[in-house]
Amino acid sequence: MKENKMGVMPVNKLILNMSLPMIISMLVQALYNVVDSVFVGMVNEQSLTAVSLAFPAQNLMIGVATGTGVGINALVSRSLGEKKPEQANKIAENGVFLAVVSAIVFTFLGIFCSEFFMRSQTDVPYIIEQGTYYMQIVCGACIGIFVEITYERLLQSTGRTFQTMITQGVGAIINIILDPIFILVLKMGVKGAAIATVTGQIVAAILAIIINERSNKELKLNFKAFRPSGKIIGKIYEIGVPSIIMVAIGSIMTYAMNKILIIYTTGKETAATVFGAFFKLNSFICMPIFGLNNGTIPIVAYNYGARKKDRLKKTVKLSLVYAEIFSLIGTILFIAIPKTLLGFFSASENMLAIGVPALRIIGTSFLFAGFNIAMGATFQATGKSVYSMVVSFVRQLIVLVPVAYILARYGMSVGNDDLVWLSYPVAEIASLVMTLIFYTIVNKKIIKPMPDEEK
């Protein structure tokens, strides 16, 4: 087989070649996330709250799709690096099978469990009603997001990240165009936001399938004689489940934080709305880093499979540098212009009073978060996704939620709601320590023992 560019192209050029399209597409994704909430916020603050409270469930669904995709991506790239194309094809076919099965499960949960999920967080009838509508639509038509993400990961696994940028970009642009039409012009409110979202996802999924069939020459999927392989599915989930659990942990954290903010702050639902707005704004900082990760995971996995130690190490170092640049930009923006950022969501004076100090405090945590996120890609690509899972678990459930609970209750007693947001920098520092410990282990047991490349 001809050597893939991931094994021969200069590393810095390769990272930019692989990651820039992903970063651009992720920024477009982040834009449509914000635009979605901007137009919902124009309806009223309670509609924005409904979407914010639905976010943990929606995020879990996307997390299952992306986590499975991480396993598919890493295994296909590694198989290609080991010059095993038939194995790569089988992994890809089983990955598509898992996407369809997962979509069926979430469709059922979305249709029948959405109202219960909303009632568990609030007793405001309008918020419950609107949040239920939103969840039932985005989960009921989730086949689009599952198929889209799976086929995009197949493109990424062979180095075709530019095509991935096209599929994600088209889906996001369709969403952005349809949002004001459905939400404001047709006066569908939250329902319109959900319909715009799933329409963009379905179009992107169809486009991703077409591009794979026409341009992804290293993978030839054949479903006529397909039979699910327990062994391959097990390997996909061995890498992917930790990523899924990481997102599940994030959803549990978001759910718990919403409950803490509603119960133990004077802002109540407004504080939860601020938290939801933060997540939308946060995506502008973290999504590019995740895009960087999506570009570097197949590079690290390929060169790990090909036993090219120097290229692997250089990829890791450069990815950390780029991640910290994005993090620094986020810190500056959150500290310097929080009022402007919240203004995009038609923030009331009460929302600004809660949100401005919140963004400034949380913004300091980005400096640590970038390193932690980027290093997680190295763990995933070298088959140590469990390390990322442990770091995420400790950060969000062992540190963040308990510290937030303590600070929120103490803040309520002394009349200072701002204290609860300090839980974010505390949690990021704790995860930084754990990340450094785990990388030391990976470097010692996996990277250092690899043979040095001949000069």
Side-chain angles (χ1 to χ4, degrees):
M1 282 181 64
K2 181 182 177 181
E3 181 76 78
N4 188 283
K5 67 180 180 180
M6 291 186 286
V8 294
M9 185 181 288
V11 173
N12 191 50
K13 181 180 178 181
L14 179 62
I15 290 176
L16 296 176
N17 181 274
M18 294 279 287
S19 297
L20 275 179
M22 296 305 307
I23 291 170
I24 292 171
S25 63
M26 286 291 190
L27 282 171
V28 174
Q29 294 281 324
L31 177 63
Y32 102 70
N33 281 335
V34 171
V35 169
D36 211 45
S37 295
V38 166
F39 285 111
V40 169
M42 290 180 182
V43 178
N44 54 55
E45 189 173 298
Q46 285 192 332
S47 292
L48 184 57
T49 303
V51 174
S52 297
L53 295 184
F55 176 76
Q58 184 183 15
N59 190 51
L60 176 62
M61 177 183 70
I62 296 173
V64 171
T66 55
T68 306
V70 166
I72 298 166
N73 190 345
L75 285 177
V76 171
S77 295
R78 190 184 304 174
S79 296
L80 293 174
E82 294 169 346
K83 307 297 185 293
K84 298 177 179 177
E86 291 184 6
Q87 179 173 287
N89 288 330
K90 290 180 180 178
I91 293 167
E93 291 164 2
N94 279 272
V96 174
F97 168 75
L98 292 177
V100 174
V101 172
S102 299
I104 293 171
V105 172
F106 274 95
T107 296
F108 177 85
L109 293 174
I111 292 173
F112 295 104
C113 302
S114 294
E115 184 176 349
F116 170 79
F117 180 78
M118 293 301 299
R119 287 188 181 280
S120 69
Q121 297 179 85
T122 182
D123 57 1
V124 179
Y126 181 84
I127 295 175
I128 293 171
E129 178 187 60
Q130 296 303 305
T132 300
Y133 287 149
Y134 186 83
M135 285 182 60
Q136 287 179 335
I137 294 170
V138 296
C139 293
C142 68
I143 186 66
I145 191 65
F146 275 99
V147 172
E148 174 195 350
I149 289 176
T150 299
Y151 274 87
E152 285 172 352
R153 292 303 183 271
L154 295 182
L155 289 169
Q156 292 168 26
S157 67
T158 59
R160 291 173 172 82
T161 52
F162 179 79
Q163 286 90 334
T164 302
M165 179 185 72
I166 294 173
T167 59
Q168 289 187 342
V170 168
I173 290 170
I174 288 173
N175 191 330
I176 292 170
I177 293 172
L178 293 180
D179 265 336
I181 296 173
F182 287 148
I183 296 172
L184 301 178
V185 177
L186 298 179
K187 300 186 183 301
M188 297 177 68
V190 170
K191 286 182 181 179
I195 294 171
T197 296
V198 298
T199 301
Q201 291 168 350
I202 291 170
V203 172
I206 295 170
L207 186 59
I209 294 172
I210 294 171
I211 292 176
N212 262 280
E213 290 296 321
R214 292 184 177 180
S215 67
N216 208 355
K217 304 300 183 183
E218 286 155 300
L219 293 176
K220 299 293 182 183
L221 278 62
N222 180 14
F223 292 103
K224 291 182 179 179
F226 171 74
R227 295 290 183 276
S229 168
K231 183 178 180 180
I232 291 176
I233 290 172
K235 287 182 178 180
I236 290 173
Y237 280 136
E238 183 179 348
I239 296 174
V241 162
S243 295
I244 294 171
I245 292 176
M246 285 166 58
V247 176
I249 290 168
S251 293
I252 294 170
M253 178 277 293
T254 306
Y255 178 87
M257 284 292 290
N258 283 333
K259 295 279 287 186
I260 290 169
L261 293 170
I262 290 172
I263 295 173
Y264 296 110
T265 68
T266 55
K268 297 194 177 298
E269 275 81 9
T270 299
T273 306
V274 168
F275 190 54
F278 152 69
F279 264 103
K280 300 294 184 179
L281 295 169
N282 175 59
S283 65
F284 269 107
I285 310 306
C286 291
M287 291 287 259
I289 301 177
F290 288 129
L292 177 69
N293 279 8
N294 288 340
T296 57
I297 284 175
I299 299 173
V300 174
Y302 185 97
N303 287 285
Y304 175 48
R307 317 307 290 169
K308 295 188 176 185
K309 179 179 179 179
D310 292 344
R311 292 178 61 80
L312 186 155
K313 291 172 64 176
K314 191 171 183 181
T315 301
V316 172
K317 290 178 182 178
L318 288 173
S319 68
L320 292 175
V321 171
Y322 290 131
E324 281 302 307
I325 291 173
F326 284 115
S327 298
L328 180 60
I329 293 172
T331 297
I332 293 171
L333 291 175
F334 269 52
I335 292 176
I337 55 169
K339 188 173 182 179
T340 302
L341 296 175
L342 290 168
F344 292 131
F345 303 96
S346 305
S348 63
E349 287 300 318
N350 188 35
M351 186 174 170
L352 288 173
I354 297 170
V356 168
L359 293 192
R360 284 179 172 153
I361 293 170
I362 295 173
T364 61
S365 68
F366 288 142
L367 293 174
F368 311 105
F371 181 92
N372 296 332
I373 295 170
M375 191 56 71
T378 301
F379 299 152
Q380 292 166 3
T382 54
K384 295 296 180 182
S385 298
V386 67
Y387 291 165
S388 296
M389 180 187 69
V390 172
V391 170
S392 182
F393 179 79
V394 171
R395 171 187 172 273
Q396 299 186 83
L397 296 187
I398 302 299
V399 179
L400 179 61
V401 170
V403 171
Y405 174 76
I406 293 168
L407 291 176
R409 295 201 64 170
Y410 178 72
M412 177 173 275
S413 67
V414 299
N416 186 355
D417 286 342
D418 296 345
L419 293 178
V420 66
W421 309 112
L422 288 170
S423 56
Y424 261 85
V426 170
E428 288 298 349
I429 292 171
S431 63
L432 174 64
V433 173
M434 292 199 65
T435 297
L436 290 171
I437 291 172
F438 284 137
Y439 179 71
T440 301
I441 295 172
V442 169
N443 188 49
K444 182 179 179 180
K445 294 187 176 181
I446 294 178
I447 299 176
K448 277 190 174 181
M450 292 173 65
D452 292 324
E453 297 177 47
E454 295 181 5
K455 304 297 183 183

